Every structure is written in structure tokens, then in C-alpha cells.
Amino acid sequence: MAVADQAFVTLGSDDDYCQGALVLGQSLRNHVTSRKLAILITPQVSSVMRAVLCSVFDEVIEVDEIYSADSMHLSLLERPELSVTFTKLHCWTLTQYSKCVFMDADTLVLCNIDELFEREELSAAPDSGWPDCFNSGVFVFRPSLQTYNNLLQFATEHGSFDGGDQGLLNSFFSNWATTDIGKHLPFIYNLSSSAIYTYVPAFKHFGRDAKVVHFLGSTKPWHYTYNPQTRTIMHDGATSGSPNQFSFLQLWWKIYYANILPLLEKCQEMANSESQGQKHVFYDDEIRLKNETPLVINSLQIPTFLEQTSEMDITASAPEEFDNKITPVVPQVEQRSSEVRLPEPNQPLEQPVFHPAPQQTLKLDETAHHISELSIQLKPEAPNAEDERKKWEEGHIDYMGKDAFEHIKRKLDTFLK
Ligand code: UDP
Ligand code: MN
């Protein structure tokens, strides 16, 4: 029975983290959750990513990364390192829901976990590094503007002892460790990948009951590459982590390849055809995959850099779908400005610009950006620097005039001197 006033909530501040959020959302769908799925995003999430998010999540909510409204928010601005943390706090503003479960974008559910909604705020599992603290990757909470404001107030007065949301939330909900054991979620609801190899016997004993795996730490599943031919998962040219962790990584990649990549590709294709002049309207059901059987991929190409890899064999439990030829390259789109614009049925997407060779183009873009600023500086009377930059980015470059190489060189020379 669907419960409309309760939701799983996650956060993705950029396209990378949104890939994790998509896999998480899909894993919740695969296990037939009866709750809504909501995601908080920030303005830099691309329009293609937003379209894909809309097909997996019931609600895609844009929030500001840094506040600027009143004096309290101004003091937050002096702590830029906490901005993502504060973005997470926005989950308390989702008062359309009576109760929610927040889950980091780097978590993955292994079975239905709807029973978490029987718990009260603030329920969370112990952190494997310091078990008197809870890990803030999975927690049950009640949206409330009052709590939200108290949290902001607390944050401005006390900051966060670890610089992130976990330190802040542990200080705010400081009686978690001692007051109510009902608020201690079993560790299997937030099994950190690090705990898998720090306490192997426990993992062997309890690991099969794991319900949520959390890829915490700096290396996230989307930082790896998967070679479907050699069935290897690689990071920085080498495999890392324990074999046990690999089966979770494999599962992450399996969902990514089977359910998420096809959506990304489809949306990219549509946006490509749009940028070539054929207007395409995104209909919700065109990209909808909610509660549907996973797609099977069979006609995509493996990028050559993936073909070169061959390391640890994880054949034992490698899923069949991995034999298909797939490319884990995420569509790269131009960064968007800050207005809220989510694709609605019958509403065409704002025209995104796609680059054929992502990495390289990014560099070119950066160069264009710098040079365009240079040309703006060369021409102090430029009426509008933003317009000038836009022209550059659109390829309208005044090679013979203000953007001529000799002008740019002269400017560079002044820097070098
Ligand atoms: N997050 C984000 N963008 C960032 C960093 C973090 O959207 O640049 C969100 C995302 O949901 C992520 C969560 O904040 O899962 C917590 O960060 P992370 O998982 O990287 O921390 P860890 O669990 O590794 O300590
Ligand atoms: Mn995390």
C-alpha cells in the first residue's frame, strides 16, 4: 500500500553524486518500496541529469547550496566548507512529508527497508569509526521548519566538529548514544564498506543480513571503471578493496548498467537531436522506469580505455548483464545557471549543449573561459562581460578584432613581465 506522506530522501549536488543517487533510487524501486522517493539537487546539476532523475524519483527539488538571505545565513557564508552539509539540512524543510529516511547518494539498498519508517527521529546506525556517534549516511527524521531553523542556528553558533553534517548532527542530537536504544539502527542498515575489511569475522557472520551498504570514503562506486569483457572493476589502474566489497561494487555497477545508463543515454540522445534542430519533447513516460523490469543493454560501445584493463577476476558472481557492451561514460552537459527548471511532460528541455569528447572539451571550455576573460580585460569598455563570454562559448570569436592573437599575446606578456 503506497504511503504518500513518507519518503526516502537523498542529495546530489552535482552530476557525479546524482549517478549514485540514481542507483540508490533504482535499488529502492527494485525492492518495491511503498514510500515516495525525493532528491535534493543544487543548481549545477545538468538538465539531462534532471530529466533522468525525474524518471526515477517522485520529486526532484532544487535547493541553494549556500544561503544569502539574512544575517545568520551570512555567517554561514563564511564557512564555505560546510555548504554541502547545510544543503543536507534542507531535508528538514520537506514538510509535505510527515516522516522521512535520509540516505546518502553513496548508499545502496539490498532489500526492502520500509520498516525504518516505524522508527522515530533521530534514528541512525553507529559509525564504524566512533560508535558513540551515529553515521549520518542513513537516518530517520521528521521534517519540520522549527528543527531546520534550530539546526541552522546551532550550526552558526557551534559549527561542526568534523566539518561535515555528521559532526553537526551528532552534536545537535547529542543524546542519541545514551537515551533510547530504539533510535539505534542495527549496523546492517548502514554497513560501511570500510567495516567490511576492518572486522572480517563479523562481516562473515552478519554480512549476509546486510540491508544497506554505504560506500563511504573518498572513492565512490562511480569513480571505478568496469570492464565487461574481463569482468574487472578498477580504480586508478588497479583494483582495490576486499573481495567482499567487490560483490557490493558489482551490484552497484549492475544496476547502473542495466537501469541507469540506458536512461542517461536516451536523454542524451534526445537532447542531442534537439541541439541539432529537431525539437524533442520529453514525455515523462518516455524515460520512466519506475517499478518496471530492468532494461537489457546490448548495443553500446566499450571505450578503448576500458578494454585495456585486466586485474582481479570477479567472475564468481559477475552478473550476466555485464557481458553486454556498455560504456560508463556519463553525458557531459554544459553547466546550468541557477534557475529552477525541471522537465515537465509536454515541456521541452532547455537546449543543453553536448560535447563529443568530454574531458578534452572541458579543457577547451576552460581555455575559452580564461581567454574570453582576457579579451574582456583587454577591452575595458566592454558593455557586458557576461555577453562577451557567452559569445566566446558559442564560437563567435572576433579573430581579426578584439580577440586577435596579438592582443591576447600582448596581455599575456604583461602578465609574464
Ligand atoms: N554530497 C553531495 N555532493 C558533494 C558531497 C556530498 O551531493 O560534493 C552528498 C551526497 O548525498 C553524499 C552525502 O552528501 O552521499 C555525504 O557525502 P559523502 O557520501 O561523500 O560522505 P561520506 O559518506 O563518504 O563520509
Ligand atoms: Mn556517504
Side-chain angles (χ1 to χ4, degrees), residues 67 184 314 321:
Y67 315 91
H184 282 230
I314 47 165
E321 290 92 314

Side-chain angles (χ1 to χ4, degrees), residues 68-279:
S68 57
D70 55 34
S71 57
M72 188 206 303
H73 293 164
L74 275 179
S75 56
L76 286 176
L77 280 173
E78 289 165 16
R79 305 283 302 272
E81 80 280 8
L82 293 180
S83 63
V84 169
T85 296
F86 294 128
T87 313
K88 202 178 202 179
L89 299 185
H90 266 113
C91 68
W92 265 274
T93 66
L94 301 178
T95 51
Q96 63 272 45
Y97 302 113
S98 64
K99 197 188 276 184
C100 295
V101 174
F102 182 90
M103 300 187 76
D104 268 9
D106 59 345
T107 59
L108 175 67
V109 312
L110 308 173
C111 60
N112 185 296
I113 52 167
D114 288 356
E115 69 275 11
L116 282 180
F117 289 90
E118 291 160 20
R119 306 273 178 157
E120 274 311 316
E121 177 173 283
L122 184 289
S123 293
D127 184 75
S128 59
W130 197 266
D132 285 344
C133 289
F134 59 84
N135 182 280
S136 61
V138 177
F139 61 87
V140 182
F141 71 101
R142 278 193 184 277
S144 145
L145 293 181
Q146 172 89 52
T147 311
Y148 174 69
N149 285 322
N150 291 345
L151 275 162
L152 287 189
Q153 182 78 45
F154 189 90
T156 49
E157 284 167 14
H158 307 282
S160 161
F161 70 78
D162 67 358
D165 56 280
Q166 183 159 312
L168 171 68
L169 290 173
N170 270 278
S171 300
F172 188 83
F173 295 101
S174 61
N175 63 0
W176 173 85
T178 52
T179 309
D180 180 358
I181 194 69
K183 292 182 180 174
H184 282 230
L185 297 181
F187 195 58
I188 50 171
Y189 284 98
N190 187 348
L191 178 69
S192 63
S193 38
S194 56
I196 294 170
Y197 50 83
T198 52
Y199 195 0
V200 173
F203 177 73
K204 286 198 172 140
H205 191 65
F206 299 111
R208 69 173 59 99
D209 299 325
K211 291 173 187 283
V212 177
V213 62
H214 185 179
F215 299 97
L216 62 79
S218 54
T219 307
K220 303 302 186 195
W222 52 91
H223 295 145
Y224 290 79
T225 49
Y226 180 74
N227 182 338
Q229 285 183 330
T230 58
R231 295 176 173 176
T232 50
I233 294 177
M234 308 271 299
H235 183 251
D236 278 349
T239 50
S240 56
S242 68
N244 292 323
Q245 192 184 345
F246 268 99
S247 58
F248 292 127
L249 264 181
Q250 260 188 300
L251 181 62
W252 191 97
W253 276 98
K254 180 183 173 186
I255 297 173
Y256 182 75
Y257 272 22
N259 301 146
I260 304 307
L261 195 64
L263 291 177
L264 285 163
E265 297 232 335
K266 186 159 187 176
C267 284
Q268 185 186 16
E269 231 171 71
M270 289 174 185
N272 274 347
S273 63
E274 191 177 304
S275 71
Q276 285 161 12
Q278 303 157 254
K279 286 281 172 212

